[in-house]
Coordinates of all heavy atoms in Angstrom, one line a residue:
M1416 N 70.1 -4.8 -31.9 CA 69.9 -3.8 -30.8 C 71.1 -3.8 -29.8 O 71.3 -4.7 -29.1 CB 68.6 -4.0 -30.1 CG 67.4 -3.5 -30.8 SD 66.1 -3.2 -29.7 CE 65.7 -4.9 -29.1
A1417 N 71.8 -2.7 -29.8 CA 72.9 -2.6 -28.8 C 72.4 -2.0 -27.5 O 71.7 -1.0 -27.5 CB 74.0 -1.8 -29.4
E1418 N 72.8 -2.6 -26.5 CA 72.5 -2.1 -25.2 C 73.3 -0.8 -25.0 O 74.5 -0.7 -25.4 CB 72.9 -3.1 -24.1 CG 72.0 -4.2 -24.0 CD 70.8 -4.0 -23.0 OE1 71.0 -3.2 -22.0 OE2 69.8 -4.5 -23.2
P1419 N 72.7 0.2 -24.5 CA 73.5 1.4 -24.2 C 74.6 1.1 -23.2 O 74.4 0.3 -22.3 CB 72.5 2.4 -23.6 CG 71.3 1.6 -23.2 CD 71.3 0.4 -24.1
N1420 N 75.7 1.6 -23.4 CA 76.8 1.4 -22.5 C 76.7 2.2 -21.3 O 76.9 3.4 -21.2 CB 78.1 1.7 -23.3 CG 79.3 1.2 -22.5 OD1 79.2 0.4 -21.6 ND2 80.5 1.7 -22.9
V1421 N 76.4 1.5 -20.2 CA 76.2 2.1 -19.0 C 77.3 1.8 -18.0 O 77.6 0.6 -17.9 CB 74.8 1.8 -18.3 CG1 73.7 2.6 -19.0 CG2 74.5 0.3 -18.4
S1422 N 77.8 2.8 -17.4 CA 78.9 2.5 -16.5 C 78.6 2.9 -15.0 O 79.2 2.4 -14.1 CB 80.1 3.3 -16.9 OG 79.8 4.6 -17.1
L1423 N 77.6 3.7 -14.9 CA 77.2 4.1 -13.5 C 76.4 3.1 -12.8 O 75.6 2.4 -13.3 CB 76.4 5.4 -13.6 CG 77.2 6.6 -14.2 CD1 76.2 7.7 -14.4 CD2 78.3 7.0 -13.2
A1424 N 76.7 3.1 -11.5 CA 75.9 2.2 -10.6 C 74.5 2.7 -10.6 O 73.5 1.9 -10.3 CB 76.5 2.2 -9.2
Q1425 N 74.3 3.9 -11.0 CA 73.0 4.5 -11.0 C 72.1 3.7 -11.9 O 70.8 3.7 -11.8 CB 73.2 5.9 -11.5 CG 71.9 6.8 -11.4 CD 72.3 8.2 -11.8 OE1 73.1 8.9 -11.3 NE2 71.6 8.6 -12.9
D1426 N 72.7 3.1 -12.9 CA 71.9 2.3 -13.8 C 71.0 1.2 -13.1 O 69.9 0.9 -13.6 CB 72.8 1.6 -14.8 CG 72.0 0.8 -15.9 OD1 71.1 1.5 -16.5 OD2 72.2 -0.4 -16.0
E1427 N 71.5 0.7 -12.1 CA 70.8 -0.3 -11.3 C 69.5 0.3 -10.7 O 68.6 -0.4 -10.4 CB 71.6 -0.8 -10.2 CG 72.8 -1.6 -10.7 CD 73.7 -2.1 -9.5 OE1 73.1 -2.4 -8.5 OE2 74.9 -2.0 -9.7
F1428 N 69.5 1.6 -10.7 CA 68.3 2.3 -10.1 C 67.5 3.0 -11.2 O 66.8 3.9 -10.9 CB 68.7 3.2 -8.9 CG 69.5 2.5 -7.9 CD1 70.9 2.7 -7.8 CD2 68.9 1.5 -7.1 CE1 71.6 2.0 -6.8 CE2 69.7 0.8 -6.1 CZ 71.0 1.1 -6.0
S1429 N 67.8 2.7 -12.4 CA 67.1 3.3 -13.5 C 66.0 2.4 -14.0 O 66.1 1.2 -13.9 CB 68.0 3.7 -14.6 OG 69.2 4.1 -14.2
C1430 N 65.0 3.0 -14.6 CA 63.9 2.3 -15.2 C 64.2 2.0 -16.6 O 64.6 2.9 -17.4 CB 62.7 3.1 -15.0 SG 61.3 2.6 -15.9
S1431 N 64.0 0.8 -17.1 CA 64.3 0.5 -18.5 C 63.3 1.1 -19.4 O 63.5 1.0 -20.6 CB 64.3 -1.0 -18.7 OG 65.1 -1.7 -17.8
V1432 N 62.2 1.5 -18.9 CA 61.1 2.1 -19.7 C 61.4 3.6 -20.0 O 61.5 4.0 -21.2 CB 59.7 1.9 -19.1 CG1 58.7 2.5 -20.0 CG2 59.5 0.4 -18.9
C1433 N 61.6 4.3 -19.0 CA 61.8 5.8 -19.2 C 63.3 6.2 -19.1 O 63.6 7.3 -19.3 CB 61.0 6.6 -18.1 SG 61.5 6.3 -16.4
L1434 N 64.1 5.2 -18.7 CA 65.5 5.4 -18.7 C 65.9 6.5 -17.7 O 67.0 7.1 -17.8 CB 66.1 5.7 -20.1 CG 65.8 4.7 -21.1 CD1 66.3 5.1 -22.5 CD2 66.3 3.3 -20.8
D1435 N 65.1 6.7 -16.7 CA 65.4 7.7 -15.7 C 65.4 7.0 -14.4 O 65.1 5.8 -14.3 CB 64.4 8.8 -15.7 CG 64.9 10.1 -15.2 OD1 66.0 10.1 -14.5 OD2 64.3 11.2 -15.3
L1436 N 65.7 7.7 -13.3 CA 65.7 7.1 -12.0 C 64.3 6.6 -11.7 O 63.3 7.2 -12.1 CB 66.2 8.1 -11.0 CG 67.7 8.3 -10.8 CD1 68.0 9.3 -9.7 CD2 68.4 7.0 -10.5
L1437 N 64.3 5.5 -11.0 CA 63.0 4.9 -10.6 C 62.1 5.9 -9.8 O 62.6 6.6 -8.9 CB 63.2 3.7 -9.8 CG 63.9 2.5 -10.5 CD1 64.4 1.5 -9.5 CD2 62.9 1.9 -11.5
K1438 N 60.9 5.9 -10.2 CA 59.9 6.8 -9.4 C 58.9 5.8 -8.9 O 58.2 5.1 -9.7 CB 59.3 7.8 -10.4 CG 58.5 8.8 -9.8 CD 58.1 9.8 -10.9 CE 57.3 11.0 -10.3 NZ 56.1 10.6 -9.6
D1439 N 58.6 5.8 -7.7 CA 57.8 4.8 -7.0 C 58.2 3.4 -7.5 O 57.4 2.7 -8.2 CB 56.3 5.0 -7.4 CG 55.8 6.3 -6.8 OD1 56.3 6.7 -5.8 OD2 54.9 6.9 -7.4
P1440 N 59.4 3.0 -7.2 CA 59.9 1.7 -7.8 C 59.1 0.5 -7.3 O 58.7 0.4 -6.2 CB 61.3 1.6 -7.2 CG 61.4 2.6 -6.1 CD 60.3 3.6 -6.3
V1441 N 58.8 -0.3 -8.3 CA 58.2 -1.6 -8.0 C 59.1 -2.7 -8.6 O 59.8 -2.5 -9.6 CB 56.8 -1.7 -8.6 CG1 55.8 -0.8 -8.0 CG2 56.8 -1.5 -10.1
T1442 N 59.2 -3.8 -7.9 CA 60.0 -4.9 -8.4 C 59.1 -6.1 -8.8 O 58.2 -6.4 -8.0 CB 60.9 -5.4 -7.3 OG1 61.7 -4.3 -6.8 CG2 61.9 -6.5 -7.8
I1443 N 59.3 -6.6 -10.0 CA 58.5 -7.7 -10.4 C 59.2 -9.0 -10.2 O 60.3 -9.0 -9.9 CB 58.0 -7.4 -11.9 CG1 59.2 -7.3 -12.8 CG2 57.2 -6.2 -12.0 CD1 58.8 -7.2 -14.3
S1444 N 58.5 -10.1 -10.5 CA 59.0 -11.4 -10.1 C 60.3 -11.8 -10.7 O 60.9 -12.7 -10.2 CB 57.9 -12.4 -10.2 OG 57.3 -12.4 -11.4
C1445 N 60.6 -11.2 -11.8 CA 61.9 -11.6 -12.5 C 63.1 -10.9 -11.8 O 64.2 -11.1 -12.1 CB 61.9 -11.4 -13.9 SG 61.7 -9.6 -14.3
G1446 N 62.7 -10.0 -10.9 CA 63.8 -9.3 -10.1 C 64.1 -7.9 -10.7 O 64.9 -7.2 -10.1
H1447 N 63.4 -7.5 -11.7 CA 63.7 -6.2 -12.3 C 62.7 -5.1 -11.7 O 61.6 -5.5 -11.4 CB 63.7 -6.2 -13.8 CG 64.8 -7.0 -14.4 ND1 64.6 -8.1 -15.1 CD2 66.1 -6.8 -14.3 CE1 65.8 -8.6 -15.4 NE2 66.7 -7.9 -14.9
S1448 N 63.2 -3.9 -11.7 CA 62.5 -2.8 -11.1 C 62.1 -1.7 -12.1 O 62.9 -1.4 -13.0 CB 63.2 -2.2 -9.9 OG 63.6 -3.3 -9.0
F1449 N 61.0 -1.2 -11.9 CA 60.5 -0.1 -12.8 C 59.7 0.9 -12.0 O 59.3 0.6 -10.9 CB 59.6 -0.7 -13.9 CG 60.3 -1.9 -14.7 CD1 60.1 -3.2 -14.3 CD2 61.1 -1.6 -15.7 CE1 60.7 -4.2 -14.9 CE2 61.8 -2.6 -16.4 CZ 61.6 -3.9 -16.0
C1450 N 59.5 2.0 -12.7 CA 58.6 3.0 -12.0 C 57.2 2.3 -12.0 O 56.8 1.6 -13.0 CB 58.5 4.3 -12.8 SG 60.0 5.0 -13.4
M1451 N 56.4 2.6 -11.0 CA 55.1 2.1 -11.0 C 54.3 2.5 -12.2 O 53.6 1.7 -12.8 CB 54.4 2.7 -9.7 CG 53.0 2.4 -9.6 SD 52.7 0.8 -8.7 CE 52.8 1.3 -7.0
V1452 N 54.4 3.8 -12.6 CA 53.6 4.2 -13.8 C 54.1 3.6 -15.1 O 53.3 3.3 -16.0 CB 53.6 5.8 -13.9 CG1 52.7 6.4 -12.9 CG2 55.0 6.4 -13.8
C1453 N 55.4 3.4 -15.2 CA 56.0 2.9 -16.4 C 55.6 1.4 -16.6 O 55.1 1.1 -17.7 CB 57.5 2.9 -16.4 SG 58.1 4.6 -16.5
I1454 N 55.7 0.6 -15.6 CA 55.4 -0.8 -15.8 C 53.8 -1.0 -16.0 O 53.4 -1.8 -16.8 CB 55.9 -1.7 -14.6 CG1 55.9 -3.2 -15.0 CG2 55.2 -1.4 -13.3 CD1 56.8 -3.5 -16.2
N1455 N 53.1 -0.2 -15.3 CA 51.6 -0.2 -15.5 C 51.2 0.2 -16.9 O 50.4 -0.4 -17.6 CB 50.9 0.6 -14.4 CG 50.7 -0.2 -13.2 OD1 50.5 -1.4 -13.2 ND2 50.8 0.5 -12.0
G1456 N 51.9 1.3 -17.4 CA 51.6 1.7 -18.7 C 52.1 0.7 -19.8 O 51.4 0.5 -20.8
F1457 N 53.2 0.1 -19.5 CA 53.7 -0.9 -20.4 C 52.7 -2.1 -20.5 O 52.4 -2.6 -21.6 CB 55.1 -1.4 -19.9 CG 55.8 -2.3 -20.8 CD1 56.5 -1.8 -21.9 CD2 55.8 -3.7 -20.5 CE1 57.1 -2.7 -22.8 CE2 56.5 -4.6 -21.4 CZ 57.2 -4.1 -22.5
W1458 N 52.3 -2.5 -19.4 CA 51.4 -3.7 -19.3 C 50.0 -3.3 -19.9 O 49.3 -4.2 -20.4 CB 51.3 -4.3 -17.9 CG 52.5 -5.1 -17.6 CD1 53.4 -5.6 -18.5 CD2 53.0 -5.4 -16.3 NE1 54.4 -6.3 -17.9 CE2 54.2 -6.2 -16.5 CE3 52.6 -5.2 -15.0 CZ2 54.9 -6.7 -15.5 CZ3 53.3 -5.7 -14.0 CH2 54.5 -6.4 -14.2
D1459 N 49.6 -2.1 -19.7 CA 48.3 -1.6 -20.3 C 48.3 -1.8 -21.8 O 47.3 -2.2 -22.4 CB 48.1 -0.2 -20.0 CG 47.6 0.0 -18.5 OD1 47.2 -1.0 -17.9 OD2 47.6 1.2 -18.1
Q1460 N 49.5 -1.6 -22.4 CA 49.6 -1.8 -23.8 C 49.6 -3.3 -24.2 O 49.1 -3.7 -25.2 CB 50.9 -1.2 -24.3 CG 50.9 0.3 -24.4 CD 52.2 0.9 -24.7 OE1 53.0 0.3 -25.5 NE2 52.5 2.1 -24.2
E1461 N 50.1 -4.1 -23.3 CA 50.2 -5.5 -23.6 C 48.9 -6.2 -23.2 O 48.7 -7.4 -23.6 CB 51.4 -6.1 -22.8 CG 52.7 -5.6 -23.3 CD 53.9 -6.5 -22.8 OE1 53.9 -6.8 -21.6 OE2 54.7 -6.9 -23.6
D1462 N 48.0 -5.5 -22.6 CA 46.8 -6.0 -22.1 C 46.0 -6.7 -23.2 O 45.4 -7.8 -23.1 CB 45.9 -4.9 -21.5 CG 45.5 -5.2 -20.1 OD1 45.7 -6.3 -19.7 OD2 44.9 -4.3 -19.5
Q1463 N 46.0 -6.1 -24.4 CA 45.3 -6.6 -25.6 C 45.8 -8.0 -26.0 O 45.1 -8.8 -26.5 CB 45.4 -5.7 -26.7 CG 45.3 -4.2 -26.3 CD 46.0 -3.3 -27.4 OE1 46.1 -3.6 -28.5 NE2 46.4 -2.1 -26.9
K1464 N 47.1 -8.1 -25.8 CA 47.8 -9.4 -26.2 C 47.6 -10.5 -25.2 O 48.0 -11.6 -25.4 CB 49.3 -9.2 -26.5 CG 49.5 -8.3 -27.7 CD 51.0 -8.1 -27.9 CE 51.6 -7.1 -27.0 NZ 53.1 -7.0 -27.2
K1465 N 47.1 -10.1 -24.0 CA 47.0 -11.0 -22.9 C 48.3 -11.7 -22.5 O 48.4 -12.8 -22.1 CB 45.9 -12.1 -23.2 CG 44.5 -11.5 -23.4 CD 44.0 -11.0 -22.1 CE 42.7 -10.2 -22.3 NZ 42.6 -9.1 -21.4
I1466 N 49.3 -11.0 -22.8 CA 50.6 -11.5 -22.3 C 51.4 -10.3 -21.8 O 51.3 -9.1 -22.3 CB 51.4 -12.1 -23.5 CG1 52.6 -12.9 -22.9 CG2 51.9 -11.1 -24.6 CD1 53.0 -14.0 -23.9
Y1467 N 52.1 -10.5 -20.7 CA 52.8 -9.4 -20.0 C 54.2 -9.8 -19.9 O 54.6 -10.9 -19.6 CB 52.2 -9.2 -18.6 CG 50.7 -9.0 -18.7 CD1 49.8 -10.1 -18.6 CD2 50.2 -7.8 -18.9 CE1 48.5 -10.0 -18.7 CE2 48.8 -7.6 -19.1 CZ 48.0 -8.7 -18.9 OH 46.6 -8.5 -19.1
S1468 N 55.1 -8.9 -20.3 CA 56.5 -9.2 -20.2 C 57.3 -8.1 -19.5 O 56.8 -7.0 -19.3 CB 57.0 -9.3 -21.6 OG 56.9 -8.1 -22.3
C1469 N 58.5 -8.5 -19.1 CA 59.4 -7.6 -18.4 C 60.1 -6.8 -19.5 O 60.7 -7.4 -20.4 CB 60.4 -8.4 -17.6 SG 61.8 -7.4 -17.1
P1470 N 59.9 -5.5 -19.5 CA 60.6 -4.7 -20.5 C 62.1 -4.8 -20.5 O 62.7 -4.4 -21.5 CB 60.2 -3.2 -20.2 CG 59.2 -3.3 -19.1 CD 59.3 -4.7 -18.5
H1471 N 62.6 -5.3 -19.5 CA 64.1 -5.4 -19.4 C 64.6 -6.7 -19.9 O 65.4 -6.8 -20.8 CB 64.5 -5.2 -18.0 CG 66.0 -4.9 -17.8 ND1 66.5 -3.7 -18.0 CD2 67.0 -5.8 -17.5 CE1 67.9 -3.8 -17.8 NE2 68.1 -5.1 -17.6
C1472 N 64.1 -7.8 -19.4 CA 64.6 -9.1 -19.8 C 63.7 -9.9 -20.6 O 64.0 -11.0 -21.1 CB 65.0 -9.9 -18.5 SG 63.6 -10.5 -17.5
R1473 N 62.5 -9.4 -20.9 CA 61.5 -10.0 -21.8 C 61.0 -11.3 -21.2 O 60.4 -12.1 -21.9 CB 62.1 -10.3 -23.2 CG 62.7 -9.1 -23.9 CD 61.6 -8.2 -24.4 NE 62.1 -6.9 -24.7 CZ 61.3 -5.8 -24.9 NH1 60.0 -5.9 -24.7 NH2 61.8 -4.7 -25.2
H1474 N 61.1 -11.5 -19.9 CA 60.5 -12.6 -19.3 C 59.0 -12.4 -19.4 O 58.5 -11.3 -19.2 CB 60.9 -12.6 -17.8 CG 60.4 -13.8 -17.1 ND1 61.1 -15.0 -17.0 CD2 59.2 -14.0 -16.4 CE1 60.4 -15.8 -16.2 NE2 59.2 -15.3 -15.9
T1475 N 58.3 -13.4 -19.8 CA 56.8 -13.2 -19.9 C 56.0 -13.8 -18.8 O 56.4 -14.8 -18.2 CB 56.4 -13.8 -21.3 OG1 56.8 -15.2 -21.4 CG2 56.9 -13.0 -22.5
F1476 N 54.9 -13.2 -18.5 CA 54.0 -13.7 -17.5 C 52.7 -13.9 -18.2 O 52.3 -13.1 -19.0 CB 53.9 -12.6 -16.4 CG 55.2 -12.1 -15.9 CD1 55.8 -10.9 -16.4 CD2 55.9 -12.8 -14.9 CE1 57.0 -10.5 -15.9 CE2 57.1 -12.3 -14.4 CZ 57.6 -11.1 -14.9
T1477 N 52.0 -15.0 -17.8 CA 50.8 -15.3 -18.4 C 49.6 -14.5 -17.8 O 48.6 -14.3 -18.5 CB 50.5 -16.8 -18.3 OG1 50.7 -17.2 -17.0 CG2 51.3 -17.6 -19.3
S1478 N 49.8 -14.0 -16.6 CA 48.8 -13.2 -16.1 C 49.5 -11.9 -15.5 O 50.7 -11.9 -15.2 CB 48.0 -13.9 -14.9 OG 48.9 -14.2 -13.9
R1479 N 48.7 -10.9 -15.5 CA 49.4 -9.6 -15.1 C 49.8 -9.7 -13.6 O 49.0 -9.9 -12.7 CB 48.3 -8.5 -15.3 CG 48.9 -7.1 -15.0 CD 48.0 -6.1 -15.5 NE 48.5 -4.7 -15.2 CZ 48.2 -3.6 -15.9 NH1 47.5 -3.7 -16.9 NH2 48.7 -2.5 -15.5
P1480 N 51.2 -9.5 -13.5 CA 51.7 -9.7 -12.1 C 51.2 -8.5 -11.2 O 51.0 -7.4 -11.7 CB 53.2 -9.6 -12.3 CG 53.4 -9.8 -13.7 CD 52.2 -9.3 -14.4
V1481 N 51.1 -8.8 -10.0 CA 50.7 -7.8 -9.0 C 52.0 -7.1 -8.6 O 53.0 -7.8 -8.3 CB 50.0 -8.4 -7.8 CG1 49.7 -7.3 -6.8 CG2 48.7 -9.0 -8.2
V1482 N 52.1 -5.8 -8.7 CA 53.3 -5.2 -8.3 C 53.1 -4.4 -7.0 O 52.0 -3.9 -6.7 CB 53.8 -4.2 -9.3 CG1 54.2 -4.9 -10.6 CG2 52.7 -3.1 -9.7
S1483 N 54.1 -4.5 -6.2 CA 54.0 -3.7 -4.9 C 55.2 -2.8 -4.8 O 56.3 -3.2 -5.3 CB 53.9 -4.7 -3.7 OG 54.9 -5.6 -3.8
K1484 N 55.0 -1.7 -4.2 CA 56.1 -0.7 -4.1 C 57.2 -1.3 -3.3 O 57.0 -1.9 -2.3 CB 55.5 0.5 -3.5 CG 56.5 1.7 -3.6 CD 55.9 3.0 -3.1 CE 57.0 4.0 -3.0 NZ 56.5 5.3 -2.5
N1485 N 58.4 -1.1 -3.8 CA 59.6 -1.5 -3.1 C 60.1 -0.3 -2.3 O 60.8 0.6 -2.8 CB 60.6 -1.9 -4.2 CG 61.8 -2.5 -3.5 OD1 62.2 -2.2 -2.4 ND2 62.5 -3.4 -4.3
T1486 N 59.7 -0.3 -1.1 CA 60.0 0.9 -0.2 C 61.5 1.1 0.0 O 62.0 2.2 0.1 CB 59.2 0.8 1.1 OG1 59.4 -0.5 1.6 CG2 57.8 1.2 1.0
M1487 N 62.1 0.0 0.1 CA 63.6 0.0 0.4 C 64.3 0.7 -0.8 O 65.1 1.6 -0.6 CB 64.1 -1.3 0.7 CG 65.4 -1.3 1.4 SD 66.2 -2.9 1.4 CE 66.9 -3.0 -0.3
L1488 N 63.9 0.2 -2.0 CA 64.5 0.8 -3.2 C 64.1 2.3 -3.3 O 64.9 3.1 -3.8 CB 64.0 0.0 -4.4 CG 64.7 0.1 -5.7 CD1 66.2 -0.2 -5.5 CD2 64.1 -0.9 -6.7
A1489 N 62.9 2.6 -3.0 CA 62.4 4.0 -3.0 C 63.3 4.9 -2.2 O 63.7 6.0 -2.6 CB 61.0 4.1 -2.6
E1490 N 63.7 4.4 -1.1 CA 64.6 5.2 -0.2 C 66.0 5.4 -0.8 O 66.5 6.5 -0.8 CB 64.7 4.5 1.2 CG 63.5 4.8 2.1 CD 63.6 4.0 3.4 OE1 64.7 3.7 3.8 OE2 62.5 3.7 3.9
V1491 N 66.5 4.3 -1.4 CA 67.8 4.4 -2.0 C 67.8 5.4 -3.2 O 68.6 6.2 -3.3 CB 68.2 3.0 -2.5 CG1 69.5 3.1 -3.3 CG2 68.4 2.0 -1.4
V1492 N 66.7 5.3 -3.9 CA 66.6 6.2 -5.1 C 66.5 7.7 -4.6 O 67.0 8.6 -5.2 CB 65.4 5.8 -6.0 CG1 65.2 6.8 -7.1 CG2 65.6 4.4 -6.6
E1493 N 65.7 7.9 -3.6 CA 65.6 9.2 -3.0 C 66.9 9.8 -2.7 O 67.3 10.9 -3.0 CB 64.7 9.2 -1.8 CG 63.2 9.3 -2.1 CD 62.9 10.5 -3.0 OE1 63.2 11.6 -2.7 OE2 62.2 10.2 -4.1
K1494 N 67.7 9.0 -2.0 CA 69.1 9.4 -1.6 C 69.9 9.7 -2.9 O 70.6 10.7 -2.9 CB 69.8 8.4 -0.8 CG 69.3 8.4 0.6 CD 70.0 7.3 1.5 CE 69.3 7.1 2.8 NZ 69.5 5.8 3.3
L1495 N 69.8 8.8 -3.8 CA 70.5 9.0 -5.1 C 70.2 10.2 -5.8 O 71.0 11.0 -6.3 CB 70.3 7.7 -5.9 CG 71.3 7.4 -7.0 CD1 72.6 7.1 -6.4 CD2 70.8 6.2 -7.8
K1496 N 68.9 10.6 -5.8 CA 68.4 11.8 -6.4 C 69.0 13.0 -5.8 O 69.4 13.9 -6.5 CB 66.9 11.9 -6.2 CG 66.1 11.4 -7.5 CD 64.7 11.7 -7.2 CE 63.8 10.6 -7.7 NZ 62.4 10.7 -7.2
K1497 N 69.1 13.0 -4.5 CA 69.7 14.1 -3.8 C 71.1 14.3 -4.1 O 71.6 15.4 -4.4 CB 69.5 13.9 -2.3 CG 68.1 14.3 -1.8 CD 67.9 14.1 -0.3 CE 66.4 14.1 0.0 NZ 66.0 13.3 1.1
T1498 N 71.8 13.2 -4.2 CA 73.3 13.3 -4.5 C 73.4 13.7 -6.0 O 74.4 14.4 -6.3 CB 74.0 12.0 -4.2 OG1 73.4 10.9 -4.9 CG2 74.1 11.7 -2.8
R1499 N 72.5 13.3 -6.8 CA 72.6 13.7 -8.2 C 72.3 15.1 -8.4 O 72.9 15.7 -9.3 CB 71.6 12.8 -9.0 CG 72.0 12.9 -10.5 CD 71.2 11.8 -11.3 NE 69.8 12.3 -11.5 CZ 69.1 11.8 -12.5 NH1 69.6 10.9 -13.4 NH2 67.9 12.2 -12.7
L1500 N 71.5 15.7 -7.6 CA 71.2 17.1 -7.7 C 72.4 18.0 -7.4 O 72.6 19.0 -8.0 CB 70.0 17.5 -6.8 CG 68.6 17.0 -7.3 CD1 67.6 17.4 -6.3 CD2 68.3 17.5 -8.7
Q1501 N 73.1 17.5 -6.4 CA 74.4 18.2 -6.1 C 75.4 17.9 -7.1 O 75.2 17.0 -7.9 CB 74.9 17.8 -4.7 CG 73.9 18.1 -3.6 CD 74.1 17.3 -2.3 OE1 75.1 16.5 -2.3 NE2 73.3 17.4 -1.4
A1502 N 76.4 18.7 -7.1 CA 77.5 18.4 -8.1 C 78.1 17.1 -7.7 O 78.3 16.7 -6.5 CB 78.6 19.5 -8.0
A1503 N 78.5 16.3 -8.7 CA 79.1 15.0 -8.5 C 80.4 15.2 -7.8 O 81.2 16.0 -8.2 CB 79.2 14.3 -9.8
P1504 N 80.6 14.4 -6.8 CA 81.9 14.6 -6.0 C 83.0 14.1 -6.9 O 82.9 13.2 -7.7 CB 81.7 13.7 -4.8 CG 80.7 12.7 -5.2 CD 79.8 13.4 -6.2
P1505 N 84.1 14.9 -6.9 CA 85.3 14.5 -7.7 C 85.8 13.1 -7.3 O 85.9 12.8 -6.2 CB 86.3 15.6 -7.4 CG 85.9 16.2 -6.1 CD 84.4 16.0 -6.0
D1506 N 86.0 12.3 -8.4 CA 86.4 10.9 -8.1 C 87.9 10.8 -8.1 O 88.5 10.2 -9.0 CB 85.8 10.1 -9.2 CG 86.0 8.6 -8.9 OD1 86.1 8.2 -7.7 OD2 86.0 7.8 -9.8
H1507 N 88.5 11.4 -7.2 CA 90.0 11.3 -7.1 C 90.3 10.0 -6.4 O 89.9 9.8 -5.3 CB 90.6 12.5 -6.4 CG 90.0 13.0 -5.2 ND1 90.1 12.3 -4.0 CD2 89.1 14.0 -5.0 CE1 89.4 13.0 -3.1 NE2 88.8 14.0 -3.6
S1508 N 91.0 9.2 -7.0 CA 91.4 7.9 -6.4 C 92.2 8.1 -5.2 O 93.1 8.9 -5.1 CB 92.2 7.0 -7.4 OG 93.2 7.8 -8.0
S1509 N 91.8 7.4 -4.1 CA 92.4 7.6 -2.9 C 94.0 7.4 -3.0 O 94.4 6.3 -3.4 CB 91.9 6.7 -1.8 OG 91.9 5.4 -2.3
A1510 N 94.7 8.4 -2.6 CA 96.1 8.3 -2.8 C 96.7 7.2 -1.9 O 96.4 7.2 -0.7 CB 96.8 9.7 -2.5
D1511 N 97.3 6.3 -2.5 CA 97.9 5.2 -1.7 C 99.4 5.1 -2.0 O 99.8 4.3 -2.8 CB 97.2 3.9 -2.0 CG 97.6 2.8 -1.1 OD1 98.1 3.1 0.0 OD2 97.4 1.6 -1.4
P1512 N 100.2 6.1 -1.5 CA 101.5 6.1 -2.0 C 102.4 4.9 -1.6 O 102.6 4.7 -0.4 CB 102.1 7.4 -1.3 CG 101.1 7.7 -0.2 CD 99.9 6.9 -0.4
E1513 N 102.7 4.2 -2.6 CA 103.6 3.1 -2.3 C 105.0 3.5 -2.7 O 105.8 2.7 -3.4 CB 103.2 1.9 -3.2 CG 102.1 1.0 -2.6 CD 101.8 -0.2 -3.4 OE1 102.7 -0.5 -4.3 OE2 100.7 -0.7 -3.2
D1514 N 105.4 4.6 -2.2 CA 106.7 5.1 -2.7 C 107.9 4.5 -1.9 O 107.7 3.6 -1.1 CB 106.7 6.7 -2.5 CG 106.6 7.1 -1.1 OD1 105.9 6.3 -0.3 OD2 107.0 8.2 -0.8
V1515 N 109.0 5.1 -2.1 CA 110.2 4.5 -1.5 C 110.2 4.4 0.0 O 110.0 4.4 0.9 CB 111.5 5.3 -1.9 CG1 111.7 5.1 -3.4 CG2 111.3 6.8 -1.6
Ligands
LIG933 ZN1 60.2 4.6 -15.6
LIG934 ZN1 63.1 -8.9 -16.0

């Protein structure tokens, strides 16, 4: 399984389950963040196995972790969404003329 090659910082704010920007981001104890609905849906499926894992790093939890909304992350994602809706700003490298 090859990891998709991600280059954008935006990836840090994406959910490994739906691969989109976090929606109602929650952070679990291994430090990874997911949409509230995604992680709950993921764990609902694992419920039968009585084992819960992080969809990102496969860290397993013996009991279903309590997730709480990461409000700080939510704000960052909101801002990111707004900038993503607009046209991406041209990434012209700041001219630093080291000329003669
Ligand atoms: Zn998601
Ligand atoms: Zn993890």
Side-chain angles (χ1 to χ4, degrees):
M1416 279 205 294
E1418 287 269 329
N1420 189 16
V1421 282
S1422 52
L1423 295 169
Q1425 192 176 296
D1426 182 58
E1427 292 176 40
F1428 307 107
S1429 325
C1430 165
S1431 312
V1432 180
C1433 65
L1434 306 177
D1435 205 346
L1436 279 180
L1437 294 165
K1438 189 175 185 298
D1439 295 331
V1441 293
T1442 304
I1443 60 176
S1444 50
C1445 63
H1447 292 117
S1448 305
F1449 307 94
C1450 316
M1451 177 86 86
V1452 285
C1453 288
I1454 195 64
N1455 278 324
F1457 187 78
W1458 286 338
D1459 282 348
Q1460 286 173 32
E1461 294 194 312
D1462 236 350
Q1463 318 154 29
K1464 293 182 279 175
K1465 295 291 170 218
I1466 194 158
Y1467 306 93
S1468 61
C1469 169
H1471 193 84
C1472 69
R1473 304 287 164 196
H1474 184 92
T1475 52
F1476 309 95
T1477 45
S1478 62
R1479 186 166 175 152
V1481 176
V1482 293
S1483 51
K1484 190 174 171 181
N1485 189 330
T1486 45
M1487 202 193 75
L1488 197 55
E1490 280 174 29
V1491 175
V1492 173
E1493 275 308 306
K1494 282 181 194 154
L1495 201 63
K1496 261 189 220 165
K1497 280 177 193 149
T1498 54
R1499 195 168 79 154
L1500 287 178
Q1501 296 159 6
D1506 188 27
H1507 45 76
S1508 48
S1509 52
D1511 189 19
E1513 271 185 21
D1514 62 335
V1515 291

